Amino acid sequence: MTSAAVRIPYANLAAQHATLRDELLAAVGRVLDHGKFILGPEVGEFERRFAAVCGVDHAVAVGNGTDALVLALRVLNIGAGDEVITVPNSFVASAAAIALLGARPVFVDVADDLNIDVGRIDAAITPRTRAILPVHLTGRPAQMGPLMEIARRRTLRVVEDCAQAVCAEYDGQRVGSFGDVGCFSLHPLKTLNACGDGGVLTTGDQAIAARLRELRNIGLKTRDECVVWSCNSRLDTLQAALLLVKLGHLDEWTERRRANAAVYQRLLADVRQIRLPADGAGERAVYHTFVIQAERRDDLPAFLATHGIGTSIHYPLPIHLQAAARDLGYGVGSFPIAEAQARCMLSLPVYPELTDDDLARVAASIREFYARPSA
């Protein structure tokens, strides 16, 4: 057995920040010097640069990714009595945002790529359906071409949950630029990460962008004019300053994640007990998570831990089986593909700071696990 003394954590923010420390502290210093802590100049600059990354005209920075989802639905006037089609295998915020506005999440099972099965959407549409909310899970783009065709044909709005997928592409187009609004999280564990919470919305519609700026700022049109009741969800200037530093490294980090994924795909290709993620035709995934589907999943992470390797599970209990979803009327067996995937998914470390030796050690440990006889 390999010694567990050298650890490979599932995530390693300290390693990321070690190389950026001077730049980050200088950015903080500039904000402290000018003192514009709320909607300061760094927020506007971050919005401009993030919009360019996503290939859209407008970006609106907010307090967190959940608020981004809520405000996106709200700006499209989705509320009580409406239905929004989404998936049951995302982080709970995807469905919570719908429910918080009084609308009903309507789940559709997923395909082999862990994303919404576009072929099941039409059957889920009712006269109350107002929008589709696809989730680009693990940093792999959903099938946005056929999904947008359904939305056009059925006159439905589209809100993209891009929380895990900044820079991911479908047919050469960046996620967050297909639907009416794209929603991103800047949580510390995301591929573009704040040092705390943060979120951002993208849109090609100037009127939607203007309304979102009001909605994120207590409904204020000007300092003294409130045009709508709303919440306070402004990205802090300090976070924007830190994000501007990190934005300069995003392309490099994304390519490194993709390279790390390719190493896993090569080293584990012949391990028949696991199913590996990979880009589909026309896709450019960013591997926010590298999720394998593994036999004896519940034993594998414990074995890897004895080798000093951290893992995670995203997500062990689908949303429709959470206590909060009981009144939606779903149960075990409602979405068999998502449920089956939840029983075998395991996320491996894939962050940019991993070395080739780290990746080889993870792969070798997985191979060792499956070479041993099962209990």
Side-chain angles (χ1 to χ4, degrees), residues 110-121:
V110 296
D112 289 344
D113 64 358
L114 310 183
N115 285 325
I116 192 166
D117 186 340
V118 177
R120 299 175 184 266
I121 292 176

Side-chain angles (χ1 to χ4, degrees), residues 5-66:
V6 178
R7 294 198 55 80
I8 303 172
Y10 173 71
N12 193 346
L13 293 177
Q16 180 195 73
H17 293 143
T19 61
L20 302 178
R21 184 178 181 84
D22 290 344
E23 289 181 83
L24 293 171
L25 291 177
V28 170
R30 289 191 291 271
V31 177
L32 293 177
D33 287 343
H34 67 58
K36 298 174 183 176
F37 299 119
I38 304 298
L39 297 181
E42 286 84 356
V43 176
E45 178 63 18
F46 172 72
E47 291 174 337
R48 286 188 290 275
R49 288 180 55 185
F50 192 84
V53 165
C54 296
V56 297
D57 292 332
H58 309 282
V60 180
V62 295
N64 56 73
T66 305

Side-chain angles (χ1 to χ4, degrees), residues 175-256:
V175 301
S177 66
F178 289 90
D180 297 278
V181 188
C183 303
F184 295 80
S185 170
L186 305 171
H187 181 277
L189 293 182
K190 296 300 188 285
T191 52
L192 177 63
N193 53 323
C195 296
D197 266 325
V200 59
L201 302 106
T202 53
T203 184
D205 188 307
Q206 183 174 0
I208 286 178
R211 191 61 162 177
L212 286 170
R213 295 185 193 283
E214 295 169 350
L215 291 174
R216 69 146 177 214
N217 193 26
I218 328 170
L220 294 174
K221 185 175 183 179
T222 68
R223 174 64 181 82
D224 301 309
E225 184 183 3
C226 180
V227 295
V228 61
W229 301 124
S230 194
C231 61
N232 180 347
S233 185
R234 303 172 298 220
L235 181 69
D236 288 340
T237 304
L238 277 168
Q239 293 294 353
L242 297 170
L243 285 160
L244 282 169
V245 171
K246 295 187 177 189
L247 199 54
H249 300 270
L250 180 59
D251 286 342
E252 174 191 351
W253 290 343
T254 301
E255 289 308 314
R256 185 61 192 176

Side-chain angles (χ1 to χ4, degrees), residues 297-314:
R297 193 278 309 275
D298 292 342
D299 296 327
L300 178 57
F303 179 84
L304 294 177
T306 67
H307 288 59
I309 298 167
T311 58
S312 189
I313 298 175
H314 299 92

